[in-house]
Amino acid sequence: MKLATLNNQTPDGQLVAVSADGKHFLPVDGPVTNLLAALEDWPSVQPSLTKAFDRLASGEGQTLVASDCAAPMPRSWQWLDGSAFSTHGDLMQIAFGLDPIDSDRPLMYQGVSDKFFGPTEDVTLPSTEHGIDFEGEFGVIVDHVPMGTSAEDAMAHIKLIVQINDWSLRAIAPIEMKTGFGWVQAKPACSMAPFAVTPDELGEGWKNGRVCLDLEIDWNGNRFGAANGAAMDFGFHELVAHAALTRDLVAGTIIGSGTVSNPNYAEVGSSCISEVRAIEMIRDKGPATTTFMSFGDNIRMEGRGVDGSSPFGVIDQKVVKA
Protein backbone atom coordinates (compact mmCIF):
# COMPACT_ATOMS: atom_id res chain seq x y z
CA MET A 1 0.00 0.00 0.00
CA LYS A 2 1.10 3.53 -0.81
CA LEU A 3 -0.41 6.44 1.11
CA ALA A 4 -0.17 10.22 0.92
CA THR A 5 -1.66 13.25 2.63
CA LEU A 6 -3.13 16.18 0.73
CA ASN A 7 -3.14 19.71 2.08
CA ASN A 8 -6.71 20.63 3.02
CA GLN A 9 -6.19 23.54 5.44
CA THR A 10 -6.32 21.23 8.49
CA PRO A 11 -3.31 20.34 10.67
CA ASP A 12 -3.31 16.66 9.69
CA GLY A 13 -4.49 16.89 6.07
CA GLN A 14 -6.54 14.43 4.01
CA LEU A 15 -5.40 10.79 3.85
CA VAL A 16 -5.45 9.33 0.33
CA ALA A 17 -4.57 6.00 -1.27
CA VAL A 18 -2.05 6.27 -4.12
CA SER A 19 -1.61 4.07 -7.17
CA ALA A 20 1.52 1.95 -7.48
CA ASP A 21 3.02 4.33 -10.03
CA GLY A 22 2.37 7.34 -7.77
CA LYS A 23 0.31 9.15 -10.41
CA HIS A 24 -3.27 8.80 -9.14
CA PHE A 25 -5.10 8.93 -5.82
CA LEU A 26 -8.43 8.35 -4.15
CA PRO A 27 -9.60 9.65 -0.76
CA VAL A 28 -9.93 6.98 1.90
CA ASP A 29 -13.62 6.69 2.82
CA GLY A 30 -14.77 6.27 6.38
CA PRO A 31 -14.59 8.12 9.69
CA VAL A 32 -10.77 8.26 9.70
CA THR A 33 -9.55 11.07 7.45
CA ASN A 34 -5.85 11.43 8.39
CA LEU A 35 -2.88 9.10 8.79
CA LEU A 36 -2.23 9.81 12.45
CA ALA A 37 -5.76 8.74 13.36
CA ALA A 38 -5.47 5.73 11.06
CA LEU A 39 -2.37 4.48 12.89
CA GLU A 40 -4.23 4.66 16.17
CA ASP A 41 -6.75 2.05 14.93
CA TRP A 42 -4.91 0.43 12.04
CA PRO A 43 -6.88 -2.86 11.82
CA SER A 44 -10.25 -1.12 11.55
CA VAL A 45 -8.98 1.14 8.75
CA GLN A 46 -7.83 -1.75 6.57
CA PRO A 47 -11.20 -2.37 4.86
CA SER A 48 -11.40 1.28 3.74
CA LEU A 49 -7.82 1.17 2.50
CA THR A 50 -8.35 -2.09 0.64
CA LYS A 51 -11.46 -0.70 -1.04
CA ALA A 52 -9.62 2.41 -2.19
CA PHE A 53 -6.69 0.43 -3.60
CA ASP A 54 -9.03 -1.97 -5.40
CA ARG A 55 -10.70 1.00 -7.07
CA LEU A 56 -7.31 2.43 -8.06
CA ALA A 57 -6.30 -0.92 -9.55
CA SER A 58 -9.48 -0.93 -11.65
CA GLY A 59 -8.53 2.39 -13.22
CA GLU A 60 -10.32 4.90 -11.01
CA GLY A 61 -8.54 7.86 -9.45
CA GLN A 62 -7.65 11.51 -9.78
CA THR A 63 -4.33 12.86 -11.00
CA LEU A 64 -1.91 13.44 -8.14
CA VAL A 65 -0.01 16.75 -8.15
CA ALA A 66 3.16 16.71 -6.05
CA SER A 67 2.71 20.28 -4.85
CA ASP A 68 -0.66 19.32 -3.34
CA CYS A 69 1.02 16.82 -1.00
CA ALA A 70 1.87 17.52 2.61
CA ALA A 71 4.21 15.20 4.48
CA PRO A 72 2.49 11.78 4.74
CA MET A 73 2.21 12.54 8.46
CA PRO A 74 2.33 16.35 8.85
CA ARG A 75 2.70 16.05 12.62
CA SER A 76 3.02 13.26 15.12
CA TRP A 77 3.20 12.63 18.83
CA GLN A 78 6.83 11.57 18.70
CA TRP A 79 9.89 11.69 16.39
CA LEU A 80 12.91 9.67 17.47
CA ASP A 81 15.99 9.75 15.26
CA GLY A 82 18.73 7.16 15.39
CA SER A 83 22.29 7.18 14.12
CA ALA A 84 22.56 3.63 12.85
CA PHE A 85 25.30 3.93 10.20
CA SER A 86 28.71 3.49 11.83
CA THR A 87 30.61 4.85 8.81
CA HIS A 88 29.02 8.25 9.36
CA GLY A 89 29.80 8.22 13.07
CA ASP A 90 33.39 7.05 12.54
CA LEU A 91 34.12 9.78 10.00
CA MET A 92 32.73 12.49 12.26
CA GLN A 93 34.67 11.15 15.24
CA ILE A 94 38.01 11.10 13.41
CA ALA A 95 37.57 14.47 11.70
CA PHE A 96 36.54 16.36 14.81
CA GLY A 97 38.70 14.52 17.35
CA LEU A 98 35.72 13.21 19.31
CA ASP A 99 36.06 10.48 21.89
CA PRO A 100 34.71 7.10 20.74
CA ILE A 101 31.30 6.23 22.13
CA ASP A 102 31.96 3.14 24.22
CA SER A 103 28.57 1.48 23.94
CA ASP A 104 26.81 -1.24 22.00
CA ARG A 105 23.50 0.61 22.38
CA PRO A 106 21.84 2.34 19.43
CA LEU A 107 22.24 6.12 19.38
CA MET A 108 18.96 8.05 19.43
CA TYR A 109 17.57 11.48 20.26
CA GLN A 110 14.07 12.96 20.41
CA GLY A 111 13.41 15.78 17.95
CA VAL A 112 10.67 18.09 16.67
CA SER A 113 7.48 16.15 15.91
CA ASP A 114 4.81 18.85 15.71
CA LYS A 115 5.70 19.70 12.10
CA PHE A 116 7.14 17.91 9.08
CA PHE A 117 7.70 19.89 5.90
CA GLY A 118 5.92 18.61 2.80
CA PRO A 119 7.99 17.30 -0.13
CA THR A 120 7.94 20.50 -2.22
CA GLU A 121 7.47 23.04 0.58
CA ASP A 122 10.07 25.80 0.96
CA VAL A 123 12.15 25.22 4.09
CA THR A 124 12.35 28.44 6.11
CA LEU A 125 15.39 28.98 8.33
CA PRO A 126 16.70 32.09 10.06
CA SER A 127 20.35 32.38 9.04
CA THR A 128 23.01 30.78 6.85
CA GLU A 129 25.48 31.48 9.67
CA HIS A 130 23.94 28.50 11.47
CA GLY A 131 25.49 26.04 8.97
CA ILE A 132 22.45 24.71 7.10
CA ASP A 133 22.81 21.04 6.23
CA PHE A 134 20.56 18.29 4.88
CA GLU A 135 20.60 14.69 6.12
CA GLY A 136 19.05 12.03 3.92
CA GLU A 137 17.60 9.06 5.76
CA PHE A 138 14.80 6.52 5.92
CA GLY A 139 12.23 6.10 8.69
CA VAL A 140 9.42 3.90 9.94
CA ILE A 141 6.03 4.66 11.49
CA VAL A 142 4.67 2.26 14.11
CA ASP A 143 1.36 1.48 15.69
CA HIS A 144 1.15 1.25 19.50
CA VAL A 145 4.28 -0.52 20.79
CA PRO A 146 4.04 -1.81 24.37
CA MET A 147 6.88 -1.16 26.77
CA GLY A 148 9.49 -3.91 26.69
CA THR A 149 8.66 -5.17 23.19
CA SER A 150 11.49 -7.30 21.80
CA ALA A 151 13.22 -6.58 18.49
CA GLU A 152 11.67 -9.73 17.03
CA ASP A 153 8.15 -8.66 18.00
CA ALA A 154 8.80 -5.06 16.97
CA MET A 155 8.81 -6.03 13.28
CA ALA A 156 5.03 -6.50 13.39
CA HIS A 157 4.57 -2.98 14.75
CA ILE A 158 6.30 -1.34 11.75
CA LYS A 159 3.33 -0.36 9.61
CA LEU A 160 4.80 2.20 7.22
CA ILE A 161 8.17 3.26 5.82
CA VAL A 162 9.06 6.83 4.83
CA GLN A 163 11.94 8.87 3.40
CA ILE A 164 13.15 11.85 5.44
CA ASN A 165 15.41 14.88 5.20
CA ASP A 166 16.50 15.59 8.76
CA TRP A 167 17.63 19.23 8.59
CA SER A 168 20.56 20.22 10.80
CA LEU A 169 22.19 23.52 11.79
CA ARG A 170 25.80 22.50 12.16
CA ALA A 171 27.20 25.65 13.73
CA ILE A 172 24.80 25.32 16.66
CA ALA A 173 25.10 21.56 17.18
CA PRO A 174 28.52 21.54 18.93
CA ILE A 175 27.40 24.26 21.33
CA GLU A 176 24.35 22.26 22.39
CA MET A 177 26.28 18.99 22.54
CA LYS A 178 28.73 20.46 25.06
CA THR A 179 25.89 21.16 27.49
CA GLY A 180 25.24 17.44 27.88
CA PHE A 181 21.55 17.90 27.08
CA GLY A 182 19.72 17.22 23.82
CA TRP A 183 19.50 19.27 20.66
CA VAL A 184 16.86 22.00 20.40
CA GLN A 185 18.06 24.88 18.23
CA ALA A 186 20.29 22.69 16.03
CA LYS A 187 17.44 20.47 14.89
CA PRO A 188 14.55 22.25 13.13
CA ALA A 189 11.59 20.41 11.59
CA CYS A 190 12.32 17.58 9.15
CA SER A 191 10.94 17.05 5.63
CA MET A 192 9.26 13.93 4.22
CA ALA A 193 8.88 12.52 0.74
CA PRO A 194 5.22 12.35 -0.37
CA PHE A 195 4.51 8.63 0.06
CA ALA A 196 4.43 6.35 3.09
CA VAL A 197 4.47 2.70 2.04
CA THR A 198 3.80 -0.60 3.74
CA PRO A 199 6.88 -2.85 4.00
CA ASP A 200 5.59 -5.28 1.37
CA GLU A 201 5.54 -2.42 -1.15
CA LEU A 202 9.36 -2.44 -1.17
CA GLY A 203 9.69 -6.13 -2.04
CA GLU A 204 13.37 -7.09 -1.90
CA GLY A 205 14.10 -3.51 -0.84
CA TRP A 206 13.00 -4.39 2.70
CA LYS A 207 15.28 -6.95 4.39
CA ASN A 208 16.20 -7.57 8.01
CA GLY A 209 14.43 -4.39 9.10
CA ARG A 210 16.46 -2.29 6.66
CA VAL A 211 15.55 -0.22 3.59
CA CYS A 212 17.91 -1.63 0.95
CA LEU A 213 17.53 1.21 -1.53
CA ASP A 214 19.94 3.82 -2.85
CA LEU A 215 19.11 7.31 -1.58
CA GLU A 216 19.89 9.56 -4.53
CA ILE A 217 20.64 13.14 -3.47
CA ASP A 218 21.17 16.11 -5.78
CA TRP A 219 22.25 19.51 -4.46
CA ASN A 220 21.59 22.37 -6.87
CA GLY A 221 21.25 19.86 -9.70
CA ASN A 222 24.54 18.06 -9.02
CA ARG A 223 24.68 14.48 -7.76
CA PHE A 224 25.87 14.51 -4.16
CA GLY A 225 25.38 10.91 -3.11
CA ALA A 226 23.57 7.62 -3.59
CA ALA A 227 24.36 5.64 -0.45
CA ASN A 228 22.34 2.49 0.27
CA GLY A 229 20.23 2.00 3.39
CA ALA A 230 21.18 -1.66 3.84
CA ALA A 231 24.33 -0.76 5.80
CA MET A 232 22.52 0.02 9.09
CA ASP A 233 24.29 -1.46 12.10
CA PHE A 234 20.91 -1.80 13.82
CA GLY A 235 17.73 -2.64 11.91
CA PHE A 236 14.59 -0.59 12.43
CA HIS A 237 13.08 -3.37 14.56
CA GLU A 238 16.06 -3.03 16.90
CA LEU A 239 15.67 0.76 17.03
CA VAL A 240 11.98 0.33 17.89
CA ALA A 241 12.81 -2.12 20.69
CA HIS A 242 15.48 0.24 22.01
CA ALA A 243 13.03 3.14 22.13
CA ALA A 244 10.36 1.01 23.82
CA LEU A 245 12.56 -0.43 26.57
CA THR A 246 11.18 1.84 29.30
CA ARG A 247 8.02 3.33 27.74
CA ASP A 248 5.15 2.59 25.43
CA LEU A 249 5.48 4.08 21.96
CA VAL A 250 2.27 5.81 20.99
CA ALA A 251 0.77 4.92 17.61
CA GLY A 252 2.18 7.24 14.98
CA THR A 253 5.67 7.39 16.49
CA ILE A 254 8.25 7.95 13.73
CA ILE A 255 11.75 6.51 14.06
CA GLY A 256 14.61 7.54 11.75
CA SER A 257 17.71 5.67 10.64
CA GLY A 258 20.07 8.60 10.86
CA THR A 259 22.20 9.78 7.94
CA VAL A 260 22.52 7.03 5.31
CA SER A 261 26.24 6.29 4.97
CA ASN A 262 28.31 3.55 3.31
CA PRO A 263 31.93 2.40 3.79
CA ASN A 264 32.56 2.94 0.04
CA TYR A 265 31.67 6.63 0.32
CA ALA A 266 34.39 7.51 -2.19
CA GLU A 267 32.30 5.71 -4.82
CA VAL A 268 28.71 6.37 -3.75
CA GLY A 269 29.02 9.77 -2.08
CA SER A 270 27.37 10.94 1.13
CA SER A 271 23.96 11.99 2.43
CA CYS A 272 24.93 15.16 4.27
CA ILE A 273 27.39 18.02 3.85
CA SER A 274 28.98 17.52 7.25
CA GLU A 275 30.14 14.04 6.29
CA VAL A 276 31.78 15.35 3.11
CA ARG A 277 33.49 18.05 5.15
CA ALA A 278 34.75 15.38 7.56
CA ILE A 279 36.14 13.35 4.64
CA GLU A 280 37.93 16.45 3.34
CA MET A 281 39.47 17.18 6.74
CA ILE A 282 40.75 13.61 7.09
CA ARG A 283 42.00 13.35 3.50
CA ASP A 284 43.63 16.77 3.25
CA LYS A 285 44.74 17.06 6.89
CA GLY A 286 43.33 20.56 7.01
CA PRO A 287 40.11 22.57 6.98
CA ALA A 288 37.08 21.48 4.96
CA THR A 289 36.43 23.25 1.67
CA THR A 290 32.78 22.34 0.99
CA THR A 291 30.47 25.04 2.35
CA PHE A 292 27.04 24.58 3.88
CA MET A 293 23.82 25.62 2.13
CA SER A 294 22.84 29.13 1.05
CA PHE A 295 19.37 30.63 0.75
CA GLY A 296 17.94 29.73 -2.65
CA ASP A 297 19.71 26.35 -2.75
CA ASN A 298 17.73 23.33 -3.93
CA ILE A 299 17.89 19.82 -2.49
CA ARG A 300 16.38 16.77 -4.18
CA MET A 301 16.19 13.30 -2.59
CA GLU A 302 14.76 10.09 -4.04
CA GLY A 303 14.99 6.52 -2.77
CA ARG A 304 15.63 4.30 -5.76
CA GLY A 305 15.03 0.55 -6.12
CA VAL A 306 17.23 -1.75 -8.19
CA ASP A 307 14.40 -1.86 -10.73
CA GLY A 308 14.47 1.93 -11.03
CA SER A 309 11.31 2.39 -8.96
CA SER A 310 10.76 5.38 -6.70
CA PRO A 311 8.53 4.05 -3.91
CA PHE A 312 8.58 7.19 -1.72
CA GLY A 313 8.43 9.80 -4.45
CA VAL A 314 10.69 12.85 -4.41
CA ILE A 315 11.69 15.51 -1.90
CA ASP A 316 12.42 18.62 -3.98
CA GLN A 317 12.80 21.74 -1.87
CA LYS A 318 14.37 25.18 -1.69
CA VAL A 319 15.92 26.73 1.42
CA VAL A 320 14.65 30.27 2.06
CA LYS A 321 15.12 32.91 4.73
CA ALA A 322 12.44 32.89 7.39
Side-chain angles (χ1 to χ4, degrees):
M1 292 181 179
K2 183 175 291 189
L3 301 171
T5 293
L6 300 185
N7 289 303
N8 67 351
Q9 309 307 312
T10 67
D12 298 303
Q14 169 67 57
L15 177 64
V16 298
V18 179
S19 59
D21 62 7
K23 295 182 179 180
H24 299 91
F25 76 92
L26 282 172
V28 178
D29 295 329
V32 174
T33 60
N34 65 75
L35 186 54
L36 182 57
L39 264 298
E40 291 173 341
D41 196 6
W42 193 247
S44 69
V45 178
Q46 295 307 296
S48 296
L49 293 175
T50 300
K51 182 179 178 180
F53 284 109
D54 287 345
R55 290 173 59 198
L56 283 167
S58 69
E60 293 186 53
Q62 306 172 50
T63 300
L64 183 65
V65 179
S67 58
D68 292 339
C69 291
M73 188 172 286
R75 61 176 182 171
S76 182
W77 300 111
Q78 186 164 227
W79 155 240
L80 302 172
D81 196 18
S83 183
F85 293 88
S86 59
T87 295
H88 176 74
D90 291 345
L91 287 169
M92 303 298 280
Q93 174 199 324
I94 294 169
F96 296 102
L98 304 175
D99 292 331
I101 298 175
D102 185 19
S103 175
D104 58 359
R105 295 158 56 90
L107 302 178
M108 187 174 288
Y109 76 92
Q110 187 158 337
V112 176
S113 63
D114 58 353
K115 176 179 173 60
F116 288 86
F117 287 104
T120 63
E121 186 178 356
D122 285 348
V123 176
T124 53
L125 294 168
S127 173
T128 56
E129 293 182 1
H130 293 157
I132 301 170
D133 197 358
F134 50 83
E135 289 192 61
E137 55 186 88
F138 298 110
V140 298
I141 307 178
V142 299
D143 63 3
H144 172 250
V145 182
M147 184 190 306
T149 294
S150 68
E152 180 181 2
D153 291 341
M155 286 292 283
H157 291 285
I158 297 173
K159 299 305 180 186
L160 295 167
I161 306 171
V162 292
Q163 176 190 309
I164 296 168
N165 183 359
D166 173 35
W167 293 97
S168 290
L169 302 178
R170 298 298 189 180
I172 300 176
I175 299 170
E176 292 194 309
M177 289 175 68
K178 288 178 180 177
T179 68
F181 284 75
W183 284 310
V184 176
Q185 295 177 338
K187 285 292 185 179
C190 301
S191 303
M192 275 194 204
F195 309 135
V197 303
T198 49
D200 62 286
E201 191 78 16
L202 297 184
E204 290 299 304
W206 176 249
K207 294 180 182 178
N208 302 318
R210 294 160 171 84
V211 180
C212 305
L213 305 181
D214 291 341
L215 184 53
E216 297 179 352
I217 299 177
D218 297 307
W219 179 16
N220 291 333
N222 299 310
R223 179 53 49 89
F224 189 86
N228 192 282
M232 290 174 71
D233 292 77
F234 297 94
F236 277 110
H237 55 308
E238 294 168 303
L239 296 183
V240 172
H242 173 76
L245 178 66
T246 59
R247 55 172 149 173
D248 290 355
L249 301 184
V250 66
T253 294
I254 306 167
I255 296 179
S257 65
T259 306
V260 178
S261 182
N262 292 170
N264 60 333
Y265 53 81
E267 301 168 29
V268 302
S270 299
S271 301
C272 73
I273 299 172
S274 191
E275 181 172 299
V276 167
R277 288 171 58 87
I279 293 167
E280 292 171 345
M281 293 166 67
I282 296 167
R283 181 193 64 207
D284 302 333
K285 297 180 172 58
T289 57
T290 299
T291 60
F292 290 112
M293 299 184 79
S294 300
F295 291 135
D297 280 6
N298 172 266
I299 188 69
R300 187 182 191 277
M301 297 185 178
E302 183 174 17
R304 184 77 70 178
V306 293
D307 59 355
S309 61
S310 176
F312 306 107
V314 178
I315 294 175
D316 193 353
Q317 295 180 303
K318 182 186 293 184
V319 177
V320 301
K321 185 174 176 58

